[in-house]
Each structure stands twice: as C-alpha cells, then as structure tokens.
C-alpha cells in the first residue's frame, strides 16, 4: 500500500513539474475534482495572511470568469455582508466604508479583501443582474467574545412580513420587539463569554424573543407562496437571511448563559450550523464559492482546546456535505512557512514537507498521493492549524502555498 502511495506521489511530482504548478487555475482544480460541484469550498489554515487571500482571489476569479460560479461567500458576518453585496452589484456606498463595515472580525483592513471587492465591482459593471457575481457572508453576526443584539435581524424580518400580511397574523408589533430587546449593550456584553451569569440569553425577555422569532419564521414558511409572489428574489432571500440570523443569535445567546460542560461545544456547533444554513441558502441560487477556515469546511469532526480542555463539534462543511453529497467539494489549503509567526520549514516526511520539496510556491495536489497514516506536522503558533493526514481520505484537493512571508493583519481567532 505504501509503495503504491509513493508511486502516486512520484506521479504527482512529475505532473506538477509541468504546467500545472499554480493552484489558481480553475481548469486544473475542476480536473482534479472530476466534477463541477454546486458548492466549492476553499479552506485556509490561518486567518489574515496575504498570500492566502491572494490565492483565493486568483482562484475564485478564474472560477467565476470561466466556470460560471456566481456567488463568493466568505467567513464574515452574513448581515454586514449585505453592504458588500449592494456595492458590488450596484455600486452603492463608498468603498472605504463598505469594506470597513461590510466585513466582520476587522477583516476589512486586509488588502486582499479590499481587492476582492474592487474586482467584483469591476466585473459586474455593465453586466445584467443574472450574470453578476454576488457577495455573501456566511458567518453569523458574531465575534469571538460577543454576539450581536437580535434587534436588527428581528426588526428586519418583522418589517418584511408587516408590509405584506394583515396585522392580525403577526405575533407581535415592532414596538414589542424593541421593548423585549431593551438595551443592546446587555446583549453584547463581552464578559458573558467567560461568565455565563453575565449573559442575557436565558432571561424571560430572551425566552419570549425566541418564541416570537419561531412564530415569525413559521409565518414566513406558512405564507411563503404569497410572500414570494409579492417580493423580488432579493427581498425574499434577505428576509430568510434575517430570520436565520435572528434565530441563530438567540440560540447562541441562550448557550452563552449555559453553565454545563457542553457550553462551548454547543456555542461552536450553533455557529457552524448558522454558517451551513447560509451556505445552503446561497446554493439555492446557484454555484457557490466559499472561503473560510479549514476547521469550518472539513468533513471530519472539528476540534480544538479551550481552557486546556478538548472540545469538538461538526463543521459547516460537514453539515453541508450531508445535504449535498457530491455537490460539495472541499479543498484544504496548507502552507510551508509563516516566518512572522515562527512557523519554519516543515519536516520533509510531512504532507507539507513533501509539497514544499516541489519548489513551487503554489501547488495543487491530489490528497490520494499521501499516506493518511503518515506523520502530522506540529505548529509552534496557536493561530495556525496544520493538515491532519487522517483527514486526507475526506479531502477533495490540497492547495499548497510554500512561503507566507507577508501578514495583512492580525489573524482573528
């Protein structure tokens, strides 16, 4: 078995020594996958590295221009992302403001994200709506230590329904939502991440809001034929997005108030379930390109250590894969060095070491060329997660960047 794997790797080396050394090549990638999946996910092993954003931009541009993908979705706030989508499709808003407010986690400061928005706007100018590429955030309105107030999302959903349905059908008024939400600051209290007692998520007001959110979503579904007929596709999709975000936020806040050992695992699971819902909604419109951390896109169960204790959950990619099967593809991105964070050249017997030995700075590799039982790389920096060889059988492709010398910002957790 090992001999056949080594032969396959040698064949891969020979192929990569020819023209196919650049991973930013749509034809080579789809050739490796052997299909054109409805959702093509490109992971990253760390956030905020310029070379990884450049790889994403080059590859996604090629896939949009030559393979018909029409949505680019990134690991960023799905509600804030509507600002970016409006800009790239219509030119609405000032670019500086759109980039600053349209990306969460302070990722608007990364040059690669600004370049992506600029290219999408330039690509769309003069094109009919059906040919334009859309932008989407797939994350919830969350940060590592806080979650947004549910006011904006609940109010947006209520406004959509109130404009199209008779008032007696609605479970509440907008004023009642405002009263129950109260001061937004109590929802965004940073200390709640570390002290469940500081969370508002299981107060009587929060419980009442969860019931109202459920009723509003039920109304959206039950009256969907008439609502859809009375709305544009964008209005309908945004109402559904606000509904998903509102329900997800209220679930997230509820688990922030939990005191059981399952608290962190449930928070991580709620977040990835929200991400999966956003990816699947995008896929309803057509082929989608997704960019997020490998841990959010892999088919294997994700895991990490928090407070010294292990915690595991199922990623958005694993959830989407159970729904779409072969219409989902995951390309794991790995790196050789990140000198700014002390990540030196990998050992030669690791996957990263063997790819680094090819000498090219960008490589697209077949995961079947490597032994899943081979040695795993260890990272000296908590912000970088090396490829786990045990995951190789459930990865569709490996994109490798040999040297990541430039950081375009401080990576977010």
């Amino acid at each position: 078995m090992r001999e056949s794997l080594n032969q396959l790797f040698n064949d891969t080396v020979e192929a990569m020594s020819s023209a196919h050394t650049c991973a930013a090549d749509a034809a080579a990638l789809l050739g490796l996958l052997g299909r054109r999946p409805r959702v093509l996910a490109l992971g990253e092993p760390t956030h905020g590295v310029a070379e990884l954003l450049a790889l994403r931009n080059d590859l996604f541009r090629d896939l949009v221009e030559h393979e018909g993908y029409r949505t680019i979705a990134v690991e960023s706030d799905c509600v804030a992302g509507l600002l970016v989508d409006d800009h790239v499709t219509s030119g609405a808003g000032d670019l500086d403001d759109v980039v600053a407010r349209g990306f969460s986690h302070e990722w608007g400061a990364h040059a690669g994200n600004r370049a992506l928005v600029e290219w999408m706007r330039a690509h769309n100018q003069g094109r009919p709506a059906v040919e334009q590429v859309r932008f989407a955030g797939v994350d919830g309105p969350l940060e590592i230590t806080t979650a947004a107030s549910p006011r904006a999302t609940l109010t947006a959903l209520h406004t959509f329904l109130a404009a199209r349905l008779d008032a007696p059908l609605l479970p509440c008024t907008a004023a009642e939502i405002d009263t129950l939400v109260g001061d937004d600051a109590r929802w965004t209290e940073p200390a709640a991440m570390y002290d469940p007692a500081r969370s508002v998520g299981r107060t009587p007001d929060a419980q009442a809001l969860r019931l109202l959110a459920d009723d509003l979503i039920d109304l959206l579904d039950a009256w969907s034929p008439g609502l859809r007929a009375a709305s544009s596709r964008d209005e309908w999709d945004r109402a559904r997005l606000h509904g998903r975000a509102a329900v997800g936020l209220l679930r997230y806040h509820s688990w922030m108030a939990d005191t059981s050992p399952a608290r962190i695992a449930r928070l991580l699971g709620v977040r990835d379930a929200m991400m999966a819902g956003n990816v699947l909604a995008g896929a309803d419109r057509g082929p989608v390109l997704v960019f997020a951390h490998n841990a959010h896109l892999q088919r294997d169960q994700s895991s990490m250590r928090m407070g010294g204790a292990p915690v595991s959950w199922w990623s958005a990619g694993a959830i989407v894969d159970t729904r779409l099967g072969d219409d989902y593809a995951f390309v794991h991105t790995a790196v050789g060095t990140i000198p700014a964070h002390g990540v030196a050249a990998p050992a030669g017997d690791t996957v990263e070491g063997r790819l680094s030995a090819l000498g090219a700075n960008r490589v697209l590799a077949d995961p079947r060329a490597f032994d899943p039982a081979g040695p795993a790389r260890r990272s000296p920096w908590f912000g970088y997660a090396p490829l786990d060889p045990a995951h190789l059988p459930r990865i569709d492709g490996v994109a490798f960047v040999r040297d990541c010398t430039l950081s375009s910002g401080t990576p977010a957790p």
Side-chain angles (χ1 to χ4, degrees), residues 240-256:
R240 293 173 63 216
L241 183 153
H242 285 123
R244 289 193 305 274
V247 170
L249 277 172
L250 288 164
R251 286 174 181 160
Y252 196 86
H253 280 292
S254 177
W255 282 103
M256 287 185 78

Side-chain angles (χ1 to χ4, degrees), residues 154-301:
L154 280 173
T155 300
L157 176 58
H158 185 278
T159 299
F160 173 86
L161 292 170
R164 294 163 176 81
L165 298 175
D166 293 335
L169 289 171
L170 298 170
C172 63
T173 65
E176 288 174 304
I177 292 174
D178 274 339
T179 298
L180 288 170
V181 172
D183 184 0
D184 285 332
R186 65 179 184 150
W187 295 90
T188 57
E189 168 60 68
M193 175 55 70
Y194 308 101
D195 181 2
R198 300 291 295 274
S199 171
V200 70
R202 293 191 178 177
T203 61
D205 286 348
Q207 300 285 23
L209 285 169
R210 290 190 76 181
L211 289 174
L212 289 178
D214 183 71
D215 283 342
L216 290 170
I217 289 293
D218 177 64
L219 197 55
L220 190 67
D221 289 338
W223 261 256
S224 59
L227 291 168
R228 182 65 186 87
S231 310
S232 69
R233 177 63 190 265
D234 281 353
E235 289 171 335
W236 173 247
D237 285 348
R238 290 187 177 202
R240 293 173 63 216
L241 183 153
H242 285 123
R244 289 193 305 274
V247 170
L249 277 172
L250 288 164
R251 286 174 181 160
Y252 196 86
H253 280 292
S254 177
W255 282 103
M256 287 185 78
D258 184 63
T259 58
S260 78
R263 178 176 184 262
I264 298 299
R266 288 306 308 266
L267 286 170
L268 293 167
V270 168
R271 180 188 179 192
D272 269 75
M274 293 174 70
M275 294 176 71
N278 288 326
V279 171
L280 289 167
D284 283 343
R285 293 190 70 130
V288 180
L289 300 168
V290 183
F291 183 74
H293 197 283
N294 288 320
H296 290 307
L297 300 176
Q298 65 190 33
R299 292 183 175 89
D300 288 85
Q301 194 168 25

Side-chain angles (χ1 to χ4, degrees), residues 346-351 353-354 374-375:
D349 57 350
T350 62
V351 172
R354 301 185 76 175

